[in-house]
Amino acid sequence: MISVKDQIVLVTGASSGIGAACARVFAQGGAKLILTARRSERLQQLAQQLEQEFGVAVQAIALDVSDRTQVELTLSALPEAWGAIEILVNNAGLSRGLDNLHEGKIQDWEEMIDTNLKGLLYVSRTVLPGMVSRGRGHVINIGSVAGHQTYPKGNVYCATKAAVRALSEGMKIDLLGTPVRVSSVDPGMVETEFSEVRFHGDAERAAKVYQGLTPLTAEDIADVVFFCATRPAHVNISEVLVMPTDQATPTLAHRRS
Ligand code: NDP
Ligand code: 8X3
């Protein structure tokens, strides 16, 4: 296992769920954190907590990954001591709606494509050149089981996650010959704000997604991300599919009630 102590780790979408859990696990390991998301108040709170609890330095920066100019300006304006990002966790993402394709809402599609696909690309394109020129770095993309199997009404969300899978593969291929590593961590059901966001704030409908089964927690996924990041330099964990014991495929889950 290699240490992440004093390494600079950038987590996108760190204001909740898997991103916030990743921030915590890297803080516990002594990393220096750059936490980004759109909700800056939440980020500030998390940053304060982690600084107090683990004595690490944290930069909390409001950033909408779907805004290319904002991504480029924000990341290129990092203080000099924070520029050498060693680990990038491309986590920011969302689903919007669960509709038949022929009835889907275009605005939902745009938001998913702009965030899950284009946002990941904008951030990676800005951070990767530094990793290559410094000769060290690791990109960890949060994909999904939805990128492995399309499920009814998941159409565009599944397409964005299939694209993330293809991009992880493409990054690994294009970075061959450099020491930069690329991993994809692909979860099944994780209980976070994900379903509430998907259903545009309908908490009751969101709760039903996890009813009668034991879903994964954000911490379960953060553990796997941390595992990938702490393998020896010659080991690249390329892809990890992590499912709840109660879920076999996106559409096949065991519910007790
Ligand atoms: P949450 O809704 O809890 O967290 C999503 C995070 O992404 C938030 O911090 C949110 O912050 C951020 N985000 C959304 N849009 C943007 C944007 N445009 N710019 C910057 N940040 C953004 O859900 P999860 O933690 O579950 O989701 C994290 C990742 O995990 C996503 O990529 C998701 O697709 C993936 N995933 C989730 C699964 C699940 O079952 N929960 C399963 C498989 C994959 P803010 O709103 O403050 O910007
Ligand atoms: C999130 C898991 O099954 O809702 O990516 O698509 S699922």
Side-chain angles (χ1 to χ4, degrees):
M1 171 166 164
I2 58 171
S3 170
V4 297
K5 188 159 170 38
D6 294 327
Q7 289 199 19
I8 300 174
V9 180
L10 167 60
V11 182
T12 67
S15 61
S16 107
I18 295 169
C22 288
R24 170 163 286 272
V25 85
F26 280 107
Q28 204 163 17
K32 293 164 75 174
L33 293 169
I34 305 172
L35 305 183
T36 67
R38 292 165 303 178
R39 289 171 292 180
S40 59
E41 238 173 68
R42 282 207 192 196
L43 281 180
Q44 299 290 349
Q45 269 177 13
L46 178 62
Q48 268 179 16
Q49 270 173 22
L50 297 179
E51 280 169 346
Q52 277 170 16
E53 203 173 332
F54 302 108
V56 292
V58 185
Q59 295 269 334
I61 303 174
L63 178 64
D64 181 343
V65 295
S66 69
D67 182 333
R68 178 158 70 100
T69 310
Q70 206 186 104
V71 169
E72 289 167 358
L73 290 177
T74 305
L75 296 181
S76 60
L78 285 171
E80 209 182 319
W82 287 87
I85 295 162
E86 278 152 312
I87 298 171
L88 163 63
V89 184
N90 271 322
N91 163 77
L94 79 181
S95 64
R96 284 292 198 195
L98 195 61
D99 301 300
N100 288 319
L101 189 96
H102 55 281
E103 294 162 337
K105 296 175 188 64
I106 307 271
Q107 179 53 39
D108 286 347
W109 298 355
E110 308 268 31
E111 207 180 339
M112 290 188 278
I113 293 166
D114 288 351
T115 310
N116 304 358
L117 180 48
K118 292 167 80 176
L120 181 143
L121 280 169
Y122 298 152
V123 175
S124 303
R125 181 64 182 85
T126 310
V127 172
L128 269 169
M131 289 184 173
V132 172
S133 67
R134 287 187 297 274
R136 52 189 288 150
H138 193 164
V139 180
I140 303 173
N141 294 324
I142 306 299
S144 170
V145 65
H148 296 249
Q149 283 171 288
T150 302
Y151 52 83
K153 304 183 181 182
N155 44 65
V156 175
Y157 177 72
C158 297
T160 64
K161 289 300 182 178
V164 170
R165 198 169 173 214
L167 290 174
S168 297
E169 215 174 288
M171 280 183 200
K172 178 76 186 95
I173 291 167
D174 294 343
L175 290 163
L176 189 63
T178 79
V180 179
R181 299 189 284 176
V182 183
S183 304
S184 181
V185 175
D186 302 349
M189 264 188 252
V190 189
E191 191 163 11
T192 61
E193 292 173 23
F194 178 86
S195 293
E196 216 172 311
V197 172
R198 163 168 266 173
F199 300 129
H200 295 278
D202 184 341
E204 210 175 308
R205 188 171 175 201
K208 286 199 181 119
V209 173
Y210 312 106
Q211 203 173 319
L213 55 75
T214 308
L216 297 167
T217 64
E219 291 71 27
D220 294 327
I221 303 307
D223 280 349
V224 176
V225 168
F226 192 73
F227 176 83
C228 294
T230 52
R231 293 313 87 207
H234 69 286
V235 179
N236 187 100
I237 306 287
S238 295
E239 188 175 83
V240 191
L241 178 63
V242 194
M243 301 297 284
T245 307
D246 284 341
Q247 186 186 20
T249 72
T251 51
L252 189 60
H254 174 68
R255 294 180 199 269
R256 287 164 202 87
S257 57

